[in-house]
Amino acid sequence: MNSISGYTDTRRTRGGFTLLEMLLALALVGLVLVGLNSFIFSMGELWGRNSDARLFEQHTRAVTRFLAEQLRQASLPPAGTGNKPITVQEVRVSTGATENLLTFELLQGSRVIPWPDKPLPEVVCSLQWREREGLVLLWRSRLETRFLEDPPHETVVSPLVSEVLYDYYDVDFKNWKTETALQRGDDDEFLVPQRLRLKFTYAGRTREMLVAVPTVTEGLPVF
């Protein structure tokens, strides 16, 4: 009995934890948790510190994709079956003055257009840059009763666009030329640029993005 009892006591002693071992284990777990918390908080601080930069990059990409998609839609049939689905037209702006703006038509309208009533198709859109407002989309439907009389509606595409430049490809010299204004050809008509160069500025950060302006050959867009 004594031997059996002694064997049993030895087994229980070896299978349990002493108070010292438990204290050491708790201390190690505490150190691990402190280190993990420090890591998490430091990563959160770095993530928050760079949030402006990430949001700025996301904004520039989103605006670029949106404009590229709208221009692509304008160049597709049936809207793009004409020779010039994207042109430069004289547009009367909200100040009452007229400006020559890059203009295109969206047969189905656009998701960013906030209609006062139900959405209408056959929307004529123009892009205008304003110094204190950024890039503005001017739009109106051909089905509006005062299409010719009233100035277009306005939607700010991006307040962070600080400049819009126009890229033209010189076939003779086989190079690109970047212009600050829309250019005229030999016949004095405005030329449609092959690319838009958008300059975004925010909190000391600057980013340039390119938007291809599709052209049409035999009814199909060329990108």
Side-chain angles (χ1 to χ4, degrees), residues 167-179 194-195:
D167 285 356
Y168 293 89
Y169 185 73
D170 192 318
V171 179
D172 296 330
F173 293 95
K174 294 181 171 56
N175 61 4
W176 288 93
K177 292 183 178 179
T178 301
E179 306 290 348
Q194 284 78 31
R195 297 187 308 203

Side-chain angles (χ1 to χ4, degrees), residues 75 77 125 165 204:
S75 65
C125 303
L165 302 173

Side-chain angles (χ1 to χ4, degrees), residues 112-132:
V112 303
I113 295 177
W115 284 96
D117 198 355
K118 63 180 181 180
L120 295 175
E122 300 182 30
V123 181
V124 179
C125 303
S126 302
L127 294 174
Q128 182 190 29
W129 177 77
R130 299 174 184 171
E131 186 174 356
R132 293 179 177 83

Side-chain angles (χ1 to χ4, degrees), residues 127-142:
L127 294 174
Q128 182 190 29
W129 177 77
R130 299 174 184 171
E131 186 174 356
R132 293 179 177 83
E133 297 181 49
L135 185 63
V136 180
L137 182 69
L138 308 180
W139 52 275
R140 52 185 172 170
S141 170
R142 295 186 183 276

Side-chain angles (χ1 to χ4, degrees), residues 70-75 79-91 99-106 123-128 137-138 140 142 147 166 168 182-184 189-196 212-216:
Q70 302 311 297
L71 293 174
R72 188 182 73 86
Q73 289 296 329
S75 65
T81 53
N83 292 328
K84 296 181 179 181
I86 302 173
T87 62
V88 178
Q89 294 184 6
E90 189 175 64
V91 179
E99 292 187 25
N100 294 299
L101 303 174
L102 193 69
T103 301
F104 53 95
E105 185 166 346
L106 302 174
V123 181
V124 179
C125 303
S126 302
L127 294 174
Q128 182 190 29
L137 182 69
L138 308 180
R140 52 185 172 170
R142 295 186 183 276
F147 172 76
Y166 306 95
Y168 293 89
L182 293 165
Q183 300 296 294
R184 294 180 183 269
E189 289 189 2
F190 279 99
L191 301 174
V192 176
Q194 284 78 31
R195 297 187 308 203
L196 299 179
V213 179
T215 56
V216 172

